[in-house]
């Protein structure tokens, strides 16, 4: 029987991980300021993103994806419906349940938000030397590989 040992992180890996974690949080917070211009709160945008990129799902599945309790997600879905960003349809497999779908408007809001965030980040990247932008492009490849 072969045992697989869990690799121990080196001090350098822990330091890099800590810096990446902090940088990612700060970057996302800075870019999230663009979302305020959409007039849709971060919780709604996050749930809407799950629906747009992950497809329609039950409120329970959406709650699990967003790591919130079912009553919280029910209120959030009701708010998305009031704003015309999502709609509920009967679940074809369970007549007691419903599935939440993004609306055309919801998809549009999400696309506009992403476009604003990307444009803001691109403007910031343009201020860097070409070599640094190339290095960040490589880093993005590596980070994508981690996920």
């Amino acid at each position: 029987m072969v045992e697989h040992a869990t690799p121990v992180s080196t001090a350098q890996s822990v330091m890099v991980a800590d810096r990446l974690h902090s940088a990612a949080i700060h970057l996302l917070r800075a870019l999230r300021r663009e979302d305020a211009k959409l007039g849709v709160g971060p919780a709604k945008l996050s749930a809407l993103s799950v629906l747009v990129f992950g497809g329609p799902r039950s409120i329970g599945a959406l709650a699990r994806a967003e790591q919130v309790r079912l009553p919280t997600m029910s209120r959030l879905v009701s708010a998305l419906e009031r704003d015309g960003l999502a709609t509920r349809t009967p679940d074809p497999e369970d007549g007691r349940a419903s599935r939440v779908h993004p609306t055309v408007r919801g998809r549009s809001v999400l696309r506009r938000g992403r476009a604003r965030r990307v444009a803001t980040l691109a403007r910031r990247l343009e201020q860097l030397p070409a070599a640094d932008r190339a290095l960040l492009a490589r880093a993005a490849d590596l980070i994508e590989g981690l996920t």
Side-chain angles (χ1 to χ4, degrees):
M1 181 171 169
V2 176
E3 272 190 52
H4 297 283
T6 303
V8 177
S9 296
T10 65
Q12 182 183 17
S13 293
V14 171
M15 286 184 353
V16 171
D18 186 55
R19 290 182 63 206
L20 282 171
H21 180 266
S22 181
I25 288 172
H26 289 288
L27 178 62
L28 291 175
R29 281 183 186 151
L31 295 176
R32 197 181 310 148
R33 291 184 189 112
E34 292 299 317
D35 292 342
K37 297 172 186 173
L38 295 171
V40 180
K44 288 182 194 176
L45 285 174
S46 183
L48 188 58
S49 177
V50 170
L51 295 172
V52 169
F53 296 110
R57 56 192 62 206
S58 69
I59 292 175
L62 189 54
R64 285 188 297 280
E66 289 294 280
Q67 300 177 349
V68 298
R69 301 184 91 157
L70 194 57
T72 300
M73 187 52 66
S74 292
R75 286 190 298 276
L76 194 55
V77 168
S78 293
L80 288 169
E81 285 183 300
R82 273 193 311 276
D83 293 347
L85 302 173
T87 186
R88 290 183 228 204
T89 61
D91 188 323
E93 297 174 13
D94 181 354
R96 300 166 296 157
S98 62
R99 296 187 56 81
V100 184
H101 301 257
T103 62
V104 170
R105 180 172 184 261
R107 289 179 187 281
S108 174
V109 164
L110 199 64
R111 275 193 306 273
R112 282 195 326 267
R114 182 182 179 112
R116 284 175 183 251
R117 289 187 303 275
V118 168
T120 297
L121 185 53
R123 282 191 301 274
R124 290 180 180 193
L125 290 173
E126 283 298 316
Q127 297 170 6
L128 298 174
D132 287 348
R133 287 194 307 271
L135 183 61
L136 286 172
R138 177 68 180 126
D141 290 340
L142 294 171
I143 291 169
E144 287 172 347
L146 294 174
T147 59

